[in-house]
Amino acid sequence: MSLIELKQVTYQYPLDTEPVIKDVSLQIEAGKVYGLIGSNQAGKSTLCNIIRGFIPALFFGELTGSVTYQGKPVSDYNIGALAAEIGYSSQNPFTQISGVKDSVAEEIAYGMENIGVAPAVMQKKVTELLQLFHLEALQTKNPYELSGGQKQRVALASIVALDPQVVILDEPTSQLDPQSTEEVFQIIQLLKSQGKTIIVVEHKVDLLAEYCDEIILLADGQVVQKGPVQQIFSDPTILTYGGALPQMALFFLNQLHQTNQIPITLEEAIQQLKGGITR
Ligand SMILES: Nc1ncnc2c1ncn2[C@@H]1O[C@H](COP(=O)(O)OP(=O)(O)O)[C@@H](O)[C@H]1O
Ligand SMILES: [Mg+2]
């Protein structure tokens, strides 16, 4: 059984005249990292909100087809209980700060407080997370005084604090510099090593190539490609759907005119040049 399963899902926002998600069927397996890509307005954020049950529960509109989490319809879950299982960071870090806490440390603890985590446990967790997310120096700052990138790190820490099974990150690095972007992906890898399932909406295909197991490409509300990262990112077909190829794949395809076993990361290219066969 897949952890998350969508069957023939079609969704139309209220007042809209046509669906934005069209007949999407999708299986998400536990413990994998999924890169969700596609051009602007393709429906990526909408799909994230369908998976976590906010659509249609809070956005209303018309949804047909079925969406299940652990085999049970998402609509059968209490939305709060589901939110504890499926952590979500929105594409806008400014909407993610609770607004009720005066410091970064308290902000990270806020979600745990709400679910009644014991103070001693909470304190230990906050200390760990401040360190993991490089927020120690900012722990007494007001969350509103942070830069976009710092807010994003606090938002991520607040999600990880609740120990969800699934983490959905909607463009988590759009406000971040390259260094912080790399750090977000290292956190994704850490979460994966803890057995979490991760869906990350992201445009930076070179990083997706390095960290994802599978790629899902949405175009105009439909899943046009889905498969192992190596397969999707070594095939120029993706370009016809508005997707992009990693630099390494482009180099091997366009400059070296290689036709098969296209490496998608530096590491794979090195392996291949050494004469080894990758993946
Ligand atoms: N709350 C909303 N009400 C009506 N239409 C919306 C709403 N949110 C998004 N849309 C529309 O749905 C389509 C897909 O948007 P979105 O899911 O945000 O795409 P992406 O995240 O891929 O950029 C767009 O045409 C957008 O205008
Ligand atoms: Mg979006």
Side-chain angles (χ1 to χ4, degrees):
M1 181 183 75
S2 302
L3 184 63
I4 297 166
E5 188 157 2
L6 276 69
K7 277 192 202 142
Q8 298 184 300
V9 171
T10 294
Y11 173 70
Q12 183 169 322
Y13 281 104
L15 310 177
D16 267 7
T17 51
E18 57 174 292
V20 295
I21 296 294
K22 299 161 190 164
D23 197 27
V24 165
S25 295
L26 196 62
Q27 294 182 337
I28 303 289
E29 309 293 333
K32 286 191 178 178
V33 180
Y34 291 84
L36 177 56
I37 60 174
S39 42
N40 272 340
Q41 316 253 296
K44 303 180 297 295
S45 296
T46 302
L47 191 63
C48 293
N49 277 313
I50 289 173
I51 290 172
R52 69 192 190 113
F54 273 46
I55 286 176
L58 304 179
F59 286 78
F60 305 104
E62 193 187 338
L63 185 124
T64 58
S66 86
V67 187
T68 57
Y69 176 71
Q70 291 187 330
K72 187 170 123 179
V74 158
S75 53
D76 287 1
Y77 286 84
N78 167 291
I79 197 102
L82 196 64
E85 295 271 327
I86 306 180
Y88 173 77
S89 97
S90 126
Q91 111 184 43
N92 179 358
F94 301 96
T95 63
Q96 295 186 69
I97 299 297
S98 69
V100 301
K101 294 295 180 185
D102 300 330
S103 77
V104 165
E106 289 174 290
E107 179 73 25
I108 294 172
Y110 180 54
M112 288 189 276
E113 234 172 74
N114 283 341
I115 58 169
V117 175
V121 175
M122 201 157 78
Q123 209 123 73
K124 188 163 170 280
K125 192 98 192 175
V126 169
T127 307
E128 268 172 37
L129 290 165
L130 286 169
Q131 199 179 4
L132 181 64
F133 287 83
H134 303 301
L135 290 165
E136 289 134 310
L138 301 172
Q139 59 180 300
T140 58
K141 274 214 152 192
N142 188 307
Y144 279 112
E145 288 166 13
L146 304 178
S147 70
Q150 291 166 339
K151 280 198 185 85
Q152 187 63 270
R153 295 220 299 275
V154 173
L156 283 179
S158 309
I159 293 163
V160 173
L162 298 178
D163 201 24
Q165 276 313 301
V166 181
V167 177
I168 301 179
L169 304 172
D170 196 349
E171 304 200 19
T173 71
S174 56
Q175 311 275 334
L176 306 185
D177 58 40
Q179 158 99 34
S180 314
T181 296
E182 190 77 44
E183 281 170 17
V184 167
F185 276 89
Q186 281 160 9
I187 287 158
I188 289 174
Q189 195 163 43
L190 178 85
L191 293 173
K192 183 190 170 173
S193 75
Q194 297 173 345
K196 310 293 186 195
T197 306
I198 295 134
I199 301 171
V200 55
V201 178
E202 178 61 70
H203 294 286
K204 294 166 187 145
V205 291
D206 296 296
L207 285 162
L208 291 175
E210 213 175 311
Y211 291 94
C212 290
D213 298 302
E214 302 254 339
I215 297 296
I216 300 162
L217 171 60
L218 267 191
D220 196 21
Q222 290 181 302
V223 173
V224 287
Q225 286 198 305
K226 178 180 187 280
V229 65
Q230 224 294 329
Q231 179 196 318
I232 302 289
F233 278 162
S234 60
D235 183 350
T237 311
I238 195 172
L239 303 173
T240 62
Y241 295 115
L245 286 172
Q247 287 302 319
M248 197 52 72
L250 283 172
F251 178 71
F252 274 74
L253 286 162
N254 296 343
Q255 307 297 319
L256 303 182
H257 305 291
Q258 189 164 312
T259 51
N260 57 17
Q261 293 200 323
I262 304 296
I264 61 169
T265 63
L266 178 60
E267 197 191 332
E268 283 185 11
I270 291 169
Q271 285 301 319
Q272 198 170 98
L273 294 171
K274 279 184 182 164
I277 307 273
T278 58
R279 295 197 211 194

